[in-house]
Amino acid sequence: MTSIFSQLLVPIYADLHIAVTAYLLPSLLPGMLALVTFDIAYLLFFRKRQKDYKIFLKSNQFILFIMFFYLAFIIYLTILSRPSGSRTGVDLMPLATLSGSLSGNIYAAENVLLFLPFGVIYCFLPIAGKRASQCRMTGFTISVSIEVVQYITKRGFLQTDDVILNVLGCYIGYIIGSRLIKLKDSFPLLSG
């Protein structure tokens, strides 16, 4: 157990700590700007439908801010933190990074963990009819978009593993988020 902890979990924690301390604060302003832009666009396009104004409730605005903040963090981490031209290459072999090597497995675990919050946050978004398939498709679209931008700007390798593992993380997050909502709903004081 100590071997797994020191070889796998410590490097993941170190990478996560570096990412959070370096990119969390710069993500606040873009997250807030995205929320304001969303609110203005929403008011312009849906101002005639009164029932749609519940999106402006404080709790819904908070969840939307968390989602925009998270997406800004992802963009900083996966694209803006890297100099243009620093990484080139294409690897379309599915699950090629999963191997006997420790670094490949750490990389795979980090890709799953990167999109896990997306699935959890998605469950709490103020949209009707949220399904796991929609969450996976949205995660897939975001992940493919990141891969394409990384490839075009040469800020990352284009890898199918990234997409597969990001969608897996998104789905695991969705399962966790669904359970959290059921747990919240089972306590009348919390679901208020």
Side-chain angles (χ1 to χ4, degrees):
M1 183 67 171
T2 318
S3 175
I4 291 173
F5 180 76
S6 63
Q7 290 184 345
L8 188 62
L9 297 180
V10 169
I12 290 173
Y13 173 77
D15 287 349
L16 183 65
H17 183 268
I18 290 168
V20 167
T21 55
Y23 308 117
L24 207 58
L25 281 178
S27 302
L28 278 173
L29 183 60
M32 291 174 77
L33 290 174
L35 178 63
V36 170
T37 304
F38 173 82
D39 285 347
I40 291 169
Y42 198 87
L43 282 172
L44 290 174
F45 294 114
F46 296 106
R47 66 177 172 232
K48 294 183 173 131
R49 295 173 24 192
Q50 288 293 336
K51 65 179 179 142
D52 290 332
Y53 282 102
K54 61 183 178 174
I55 201 158
F56 295 106
L57 295 174
K58 284 182 187 177
S59 59
N60 292 340
Q61 287 288 292
F62 179 72
I63 295 297
L64 287 169
F65 169 71
I66 295 296
M67 179 59 90
F68 289 131
F69 172 66
Y70 169 74
L71 291 174
F73 174 75
I74 293 277
I75 291 168
Y76 269 102
L77 183 66
T78 59
I79 298 169
L80 299 177
S81 68
R82 304 166 179 184
S84 184
S86 64
R87 296 174 175 99
T88 59
V90 176
D91 181 9
L92 300 178
M93 179 64 121
L95 305 177
T97 55
L98 292 175
S99 63
S101 79
L102 185 62
S103 63
N105 293 333
I106 290 171
Y107 175 78
E110 288 174 346
N111 266 309
V112 171
L113 290 173
L114 182 64
F115 268 66
L116 194 121
F118 178 83
V120 174
I121 299 166
Y122 184 87
C123 290
F124 289 92
L125 285 176
I127 54 176
K130 297 175 290 251
R131 295 191 309 265
S133 60
Q134 291 171 325
C135 181
R136 286 192 309 261
M137 195 62 198
T138 306
F140 173 81
T141 303
I142 292 169
S143 185
V144 167
S145 299
I146 289 169
E147 292 300 312
V148 169
V149 170
Q150 284 180 338
Y151 178 72
I152 291 170
T153 61
K154 295 179 177 23
R155 293 175 188 241
F157 301 106
L158 177 74
Q159 295 179 300
T160 55
D161 278 7
D162 288 355
V163 176
I164 293 168
L165 295 169
N166 290 162
V167 172
L168 176 64
C170 184
Y171 184 60
I172 292 169
Y174 181 85
I175 292 169
I176 293 169
S178 298
R179 301 280 193 263
L180 288 173
I181 287 175
K182 286 180 183 174
L183 183 65
K184 180 186 80 119
D185 291 344
S186 68
F187 293 102
L189 292 176
L190 294 177
S191 58

